[in-house]
Amino acid sequence: MSSIKIRSIEYKDNEAIALVIRSVLLEMGVPKIGTAYEDESLDKMYETYSNDNQMYFVLEEEGKIVGGAGIAPLKNEDITICELQKMYFLSEARGKGVGFMMINTCLDFAKEQGFLKCYLETMPYMTAARKLYKKVGFQDLEKPVGNTGHYSCQAWMIKDL
């Protein structure tokens, strides 16, 4: 691996991570409506994740932001459940084990915050991501939990921390 670093998001990363997320969503054919693509927070990720109990991490490779993922309390749900949010990587970062590193960074943070479960939403055809989620212990759910506003996501998973 070249110089890959996972770190907390900084204000200067807002534009780069928004571009990464939107690029990956378009590449994957994810609908723009009812998904993270239309989230208002996408252009101000640093500010969005600057509250207690939540954090967004960026993946930096040789000084360039190539991905990221975050943890935040799951909206409209028990305070012991967090959500893995906006985990996306440019194609150049995939296949290097960074997804495993990133998800474990996020889950470690979630445990430190006292969350007992972690929830996520994805698309059924994102097979590589779903394989990773299952590898770290996420299990499929039959219906969504909480109210993320991402009604176009049709695959839901949860993990005990």
Side-chain angles (χ1 to χ4, degrees), residues 30-49:
V30 174
K32 291 182 181 179
I33 298 173
T35 66
Y37 192 93
E38 68 176 356
D39 285 358
E40 289 180 24
S41 64
L42 224 50
D43 293 309
K44 51 184 178 182
M45 297 286 278
Y46 172 78
E47 295 86 345
T48 299
Y49 287 88

Side-chain angles (χ1 to χ4, degrees), residues 82-152:
C82 66
E83 182 184 12
L84 178 68
Q85 300 179 337
K86 297 175 179 64
M87 185 163 146
Y88 299 103
F89 304 101
L90 294 176
S91 60
E92 65 203 62
R94 295 180 212 143
K96 299 177 181 180
V98 296
F100 186 77
M101 290 173 13
M102 179 63 84
I103 201 166
N104 281 306
T105 298
C106 288
L107 294 175
D108 287 346
F109 173 81
K111 289 176 199 171
E112 290 169 12
Q113 300 307 303
F115 291 111
L116 302 178
K117 293 180 183 274
C118 186
Y119 171 78
L120 66 83
E121 295 176 334
T122 188
M123 302 301 277
Y125 57 82
M126 291 186 164
T127 53
R130 292 177 53 129
K131 183 178 177 182
L132 171 62
Y133 300 145
K134 286 184 183 228
K135 181 179 179 179
V136 297
F138 280 87
Q139 298 186 359
D140 292 317
L141 294 171
E142 291 184 17
K143 60 183 183 174
V145 176
N147 183 15
T148 65
H150 297 159
Y151 56 83
S152 290

Side-chain angles (χ1 to χ4, degrees), residues 1-9 13 16-17 20 56-69 87-90 92-103 105:
M1 271 194 259
S2 58
S3 65
I4 292 177
K5 179 166 92 173
I6 294 174
R7 62 171 174 79
S8 302
I9 193 167
D13 303 322
I17 194 62
V20 166
Y56 196 84
F57 299 95
V58 294
L59 178 69
E60 190 177 75
E61 185 171 18
E62 297 179 8
K64 177 185 175 188
I65 303 297
V66 294
M87 185 163 146
Y88 299 103
F89 304 101
L90 294 176
E92 65 203 62
R94 295 180 212 143
K96 299 177 181 180
V98 296
F100 186 77
M101 290 173 13
M102 179 63 84
I103 201 166
T105 298

Side-chain angles (χ1 to χ4, degrees), residues 14-28:
N14 275 346
E15 188 176 333
I17 194 62
L19 183 61
V20 166
I21 293 169
R22 286 189 176 106
S23 296
V24 173
L25 290 170
L26 289 173
E27 173 194 349
M28 298 289 176

Side-chain angles (χ1 to χ4, degrees), residues 74-85:
L74 180 58
K75 288 182 184 172
N76 301 315
E77 192 51 61
D78 187 286
I79 61 168
T80 64
I81 303 175
C82 66
E83 182 184 12
L84 178 68
Q85 300 179 337

